Amino acid sequence: MRKVLALFTLCVLAASLVVFVPGCGPSSEDQALRYIGRGDAYAYRMATEGEIMSAALEDVFDVLQRPNHEAILNPGGPLEQYEDAQGEMLNNAMLAEGEYQGVLSLDGVEEEKEYATMMIEVAQKTADLGEFIDAWFEKALDVIQTLDENKIRSYLTGDEFEGGLAEIDEMRAEIDALASEARDYRLESDF
C-alpha cells in the first residue's frame, strides 16, 4: 500500500512540475488558436443572428403591406424575432471581441494578432450596425404602433426610411468586406 501511495505522490509531483515549469504547458500559439477558435465561433453566431434579424425585419415590413398590421405585435411574431436576434447578435459580437482581445495579450503570435485585430473591427462594426438598426427601427416602430395605414405607408416610402436602408446596406457591405479580408488573411497565414 505504501508503494502505491508513494508512486501516486510521485506521479502527482511530476505532473505538477510539468504544469508549473516555464516553457511547459500551452504555448502562446496554442493559446492564440484557442482564443481565435472561440472568437470565430462567436463571430459565426453573430453573423447567423444578423441574418435572422434581417429576415425578421423583412417579415415586419411584409406584414405592414397587408391589412392586419397587428400581427407584427403577436408573441413569437416578427417583432419578437427581431428583438431576440438583435440581442443575440450584439451579445455574440461582444463575446467574439473579448476572445480576440485575448490574442492581443500574447507574445510571439504576430499573424494571429493581425487576424484578431481585423476580427475585432468586424465585431465592433457589427455592434455599431446593430445599434444603428435598432435606433432606425425604433423610429419606424413608433409609426407602426399608431396602426394608421396612411402614416405607415407614408413613412415606409419616405426619405428617412429609405436613407436608413441605404445606410444599413453600406454598413453591411463594409462589414462583409472586412470579414472577407480577415478570412483571406487567415487562409494565407495558414493558422
Side-chain angles (χ1 to χ4, degrees):
M1 180 72 164
R2 283 190 164 174
K3 285 184 181 181
V4 171
L5 184 58
L7 185 60
F8 176 74
T9 304
L10 184 61
C11 288
V12 169
L13 181 60
S16 65
L17 285 175
V18 167
V19 171
F20 293 111
V21 172
C24 294
S27 67
S28 290
E29 188 173 345
D30 290 340
Q31 289 175 327
L33 292 177
R34 278 192 220 120
Y35 281 128
I36 287 171
R38 289 188 303 259
D40 286 353
Y42 287 127
Y44 178 79
R45 288 186 208 124
M46 172 184 74
T48 300
E49 292 298 332
E51 292 301 318
I52 292 169
M53 184 182 75
S54 293
L57 277 176
E58 287 178 22
D59 290 347
V60 166
F61 296 120
D62 286 346
V63 170
L64 290 176
Q65 304 303 319
R66 299 183 211 138
N68 185 10
H69 300 128
E70 296 85 17
I72 292 170
L73 305 174
N74 290 342
L79 180 58
E80 189 175 306
Q81 291 171 2
Y82 158 77
E83 290 170 344
D84 291 347
Q86 198 254 358
E88 285 298 313
M89 183 185 77
L90 292 176
N91 184 52
N92 282 299
M94 180 187 70
L95 292 170
E97 183 177 349
E99 293 296 334
Y100 295 125
Q101 288 288 349
V103 177
L104 301 182
S105 68
L106 301 172
D107 293 323
V109 289
E110 298 314 310
E111 288 180 338
E112 290 85 347
K113 283 183 178 183
E114 181 65 27
Y115 174 74
T117 301
M118 292 174 174
M119 290 305 293
I120 287 169
E121 187 174 5
V122 168
Q124 289 172 342
K125 289 194 178 288
T126 299
D128 292 346
L129 173 62
E131 291 169 7
F132 178 83
I133 289 173
D134 194 47
W136 170 81
F137 186 63
E138 283 298 317
K139 290 178 187 176
L141 193 56
D142 289 343
V143 174
I144 292 166
Q145 288 177 333
T146 67
L147 300 176
D148 181 332
E149 191 171 323
N150 291 329
K151 281 185 179 180
I152 293 170
R153 289 198 191 286
S154 175
Y155 183 77
L156 293 178
T157 58
D159 291 341
E160 184 177 3
F161 183 79
E162 292 295 326
L165 286 175
E167 181 72 18
I168 290 168
D169 287 343
E170 286 176 25
M171 293 173 84
R172 286 176 79 177
E174 182 180 2
I175 291 166
D176 289 346
L178 288 169
S180 179
E181 180 183 346
R183 183 192 68 238
D184 291 347
Y185 178 81
R186 184 167 183 191
L187 289 172
E188 289 171 11
S189 299
D190 195 33
F191 58 85

